[in-house]
Amino acid sequence: MEISDESAVRDDKESPFERDVRAVFQDTLGLIHIALVTHYGMVDSEANELEKDLYLWFLRFCMRPGSKSPKESRPFLLVASCQFAREYQKYVIGSGLREADPVTATILDREPAEVAKDFSRSLELLTFRHNPDA
Amino acid sequence: MPESARLLKFPSRLAQASFSAEDSRFAAENLLSIPLENRTDENWGALELGDVSMAVLDQLRKDLNSAPKRIQAEASALFERLKAATSVGLFDERDYFLGEAALLAGTTSRLIGCFEDAENWFDLADISFRHTVNSAPLLNRVSHARLVLRYEMRRFTHVLALLPSVIAEYDRLGMVGDSNKAKFLHGLIFKELGNGDRSLECLLSLRASFGPEDPSFRSLVHTNIAEAYARRGEDEKSLTEYQAALAAIESTGDHLASQGLKASLGEAYRVRGNYAEAIKCLRSAVGDATSLRMQTRIAYLRVLLAEALLAAGRDREAEWEILAALPTIEEQQMAVEGVAAIELLRRSVTLKNTDRQALSRLRQHLKEN
């Protein structure tokens, strides 16, 4: 899975910091996609578009004063993903473009930070599987 | 559309195309090169892109110390524009940019002596940052800015009580640069409260933690260490620290740090009887403060300069400096307890026979206030 089509052409201009952010984002993208599609009920194309915005946001977020390394900032990326997805679905359902199924309705009722926490656990598990000695 | 959905701009997400750092900087410089009064809605529209808003804030932060009055006006205008805009950046970025603009406006308000405005701006920064993801580091910077303001308002015991928790939070968050600045403030507070040893200890501990970045701050620390050594009569060490401070400040164009350093150097020369060097340094400090439009600071520096000029036997020049300083000192109530000294001084200057004791008393009042 890859992010943004347009951002691929910018690779040569990327600073080491941007490369680091991109790598972390890329590592987390699978989980984010699951969150958006499976849990928040977005279709693939919507999720792909949202992921581009999430990458831009995450890159700038990591530049804010007091932000830790991109890797350490991953939990915030998950919170943002859940918040983004929730607001999007609320917007779509609120505008009458889509009806909420019971599963989506349940997750929309939950706080995004809470949902992200569950995903963070999956992330920890994933990291552990990739690197059990870490 | 539900209120919460306004966070997103899904129907127009193409507007959030990514800008390279270089393009963003160019767009920011372009926007800021247009005089505030001539800027159109179209010009301001560039802020919709998160990369450009971020670059504008970076640019303003860079000029914070060298042009506080201009940055205050820019940051205030930026805040109002961001507040009125319907679409800025992504997700929580509007609140983040609003917080940064308010923090800048507050800091510059403090620098130009508008303390009440600074308090209001810090409240706005606080409110905005609260809506961001990971607000803890941002809110701690606001708490720190508030304590610097209280320091300027001479509420030292209050700052001393609250500062350790700000430092602890910075350390917990791994914000080394900000933590150093808070520790520096700690050193200044000890000095103001008369604990010179503790103050020097704080400042010396900072010297070991410097990297090559932030030369202005490094210079400020060296200057304060130099002053501490000078108070102890350790002239050799003091001079070494002043040299380090000068080396750090060179080529930064930071007039704020530079005027402070030149004032300290000027005073050191005056006390040692080297009046020619003292006058040179203090005149240059007045020049730097004038370019920053720091009215109260200019008045204070003119009083120091007048003392050096009198000591050098250049009485007429001293009179001019005193006459230039007195209106601000009175208007801004810079020496409420020094009214008698001001009156004596004014009369003596009118008679072209400057009362040196009254001048010295006034300087003391100004220093204390």
Side-chain angles (χ1 to χ4, degrees), chain B residues 37-288:
Chain B
E37 61 276 15
N38 297 343
R39 242 170 258 170
T40 62
D41 288 348
E42 199 185 332
N43 297 142
W44 282 111
L47 294 175
E48 280 189 20
L49 296 169
D51 286 325
V52 177
S53 286
M54 197 130 171
V56 167
L57 284 162
D58 283 346
Q59 191 66 44
L60 295 181
R61 238 181 258 122
K62 215 168 69 186
D63 296 339
L64 176 74
N65 287 336
S66 55
K69 186 109 181 167
R70 183 175 65 81
I71 302 304
Q72 203 280 338
E74 285 285 357
S76 310
L78 177 63
F79 182 88
E80 293 307 326
R81 279 289 163 167
L82 289 168
K83 203 171 127 193
T86 49
S87 157
V88 176
L90 292 163
F91 189 32
D92 67 340
E93 288 188 323
R94 184 169 173 274
D95 287 311
Y96 169 67
F97 296 143
L98 276 168
E100 286 292 340
L103 188 56
L104 260 175
T107 304
T108 42
S109 294
R110 171 181 65 75
L111 287 175
I112 59 177
C114 302
F115 294 164
E116 211 175 313
D117 287 350
E119 274 186 344
N120 292 337
W121 281 115
F122 292 147
D123 287 344
L124 288 169
D126 188 305
I127 289 164
S128 305
F129 282 147
R130 270 175 206 284
H131 298 294
T132 62
V133 173
N134 194 22
S135 57
L138 308 174
L139 290 173
N140 205 46
R141 285 166 68 229
V142 179
S143 300
H144 184 186
R146 282 197 170 112
L147 292 183
V148 177
L149 176 65
R150 305 264 152 75
Y151 165 80
E152 298 256 353
M153 294 162 95
R154 302 190 66 79
R155 290 171 59 183
F156 303 132
T157 358
H158 174 86
V159 181
L160 190 64
L162 299 178
L163 196 55
S165 79
V166 169
I167 294 173
E169 182 69 348
Y170 276 142
D171 290 342
R172 186 184 72 80
L173 294 164
M175 297 168 74
V176 180
D178 293 285
S179 177
N180 280 346
K181 286 179 184 169
K183 286 170 186 163
F184 173 66
L185 182 61
H186 218 182
L188 295 187
I189 295 285
F190 282 126
K191 182 179 85 175
E192 294 292 348
L193 293 173
N195 191 343
D197 289 346
R198 192 75 196 276
S199 172
L200 184 59
E201 193 185 306
C202 278
L203 297 170
L204 286 173
S205 72
L206 279 176
R207 204 173 44 173
S209 62
F210 284 140
E213 69 285 349
D214 210 347
S216 301
F217 177 59
R218 207 162 69 230
S219 166
L220 199 60
V221 174
H222 283 302
T223 303
N224 278 271
I225 295 174
E227 286 171 355
Y229 279 136
R231 278 193 298 276
R232 292 162 162 245
E234 297 181 55
D235 290 351
E236 197 66 29
K237 285 183 180 172
S238 172
L239 196 64
T240 308
E241 294 296 329
Y242 272 131
Q243 281 161 348
L246 264 175
I249 202 67
E250 263 173 6
S251 83
T252 63
D254 183 344
H255 295 302
L256 184 67
S258 137
Q259 63 84 24
L261 174 60
K262 287 167 186 169
S264 305
L265 256 176
E267 272 294 89
Y269 279 129
R270 185 183 67 83
V271 170
R272 287 179 195 123
N274 187 345
Y275 303 126
E277 281 303 315
I279 292 165
K280 205 167 104 184
C281 286
L282 290 166
R283 266 206 205 291
S284 186
V286 170
D288 286 341

Side-chain angles (χ1 to χ4, degrees), chain A residues 3 17-18 20-28 32 50-64 67-78 80-81 84, chain B residues 54 90-93 133:
Chain A
I3 32 168
F17 174 76
E18 282 174 311
D20 196 13
V21 173
R22 183 179 289 274
V24 168
F25 188 85
Q26 207 74 53
D27 270 356
T28 323
I32 292 173
L50 195 54
E51 283 153 13
K52 290 175 195 171
D53 279 348
L54 274 169
Y55 172 69
L56 291 180
W57 175 84
F58 187 54
L59 177 62
R60 294 197 288 258
F61 174 80
C62 291
M63 292 176 191
R64 290 184 193 178
S67 281
K68 297 199 170 173
S69 70
K71 195 175 173 186
E72 288 171 292
S73 298
R74 260 201 299 211
F76 298 113
L77 172 60
L78 290 177
S81 305
F84 254 134
Chain B
M54 197 130 171
L90 292 163
F91 189 32
D92 67 340
E93 288 188 323
V133 173

